[in-house]
Amino acid sequence: MHYSPEDGHGLPHNPFKAIVSPRPIGWIGSLDAEGRANLAPYSFFNAVADAPPIVMFSTTGRKATPDAGVKDSLSNIRETKEFTFNVVGYDLKDPMNASSGGFEAGEDEFDIAGLEKGASVKIKAPFVAAAPAAFECVLEREVVLPAWGEDMMNVVVFGRVVHVHIRDDFITDGLYDAEKAAHLARGGYRDYSVARDLFEMSRPAGGGQEALSAAS
């Protein structure tokens, strides 16, 4: 089969997210201007640069109106210019899911999910203390993308990583142990997967910038 997105796919459910999978989960912690914490998982998240390290997540929703605002994470980051990214290990799947509910602004998803807050070093927003690893991020820029529907919005948030937290028990022989952390990833529909069967491959020998990147 084939289809153009604007024409519809003709299937019971949209296959787009299932095709682009697995995807890292952006578990984003933030504070509003009053210091109230928020924690929410985002399906579209990734690292986009490493010198300096920059991550992104995108949020889709309705534009702010007199009756409703944008999603809390975006609103908070616009106010405070900072956020945390928290790795979702398999053991944190249920708290992550609990934090995804449509709660009222100002409700603390850390508390709702029964999660201890970690104190950040360079920013005020907390991180998930139980996460295998977490990044403290400052807002680098926000990019507004096209959206279907005049009342809808697609926004990409880029954050520069200014501090990194790794739990000591997830460092093995000097390396971050992603297999032990068992990263949870998002698929399409209601699907998730877990990274537990990792393997290594070396790039073919070469010179120049590609060789430097491969070695870093």
Side-chain angles (χ1 to χ4, degrees), residues 59-71 74-75 78 142 144-155:
T59 173
T60 299
R62 298 192 179 279
K63 296 178 180 177
T65 67
D67 299 322
V70 299
K71 289 184 178 179
L74 179 59
S75 175
R78 284 174 168 173
E142 173 189 316
V144 178
L145 301 176
W148 283 344
E150 293 184 359
D151 62 335
M152 299 298 291
M153 63 186 298
N154 286 320
V155 177

Side-chain angles (χ1 to χ4, degrees), residues 7 32 61 66 75 89 97 101 117-118 121 146 156 164 198 207 213 216:
D7 296 331
D32 66 14
S75 175
N97 193 46
K117 296 182 180 75
V121 174
V156 183
V164 177
L198 306 185
S213 298
S216 62

Side-chain angles (χ1 to χ4, degrees), residues 30-38 72 75-77 79-80 105-107:
S30 61
L31 293 176
D32 66 14
E34 299 178 32
R36 298 177 298 184
N38 180 266
D72 294 341
S75 175
N76 292 352
I77 293 168
E79 291 176 346
T80 66
E107 290 196 66

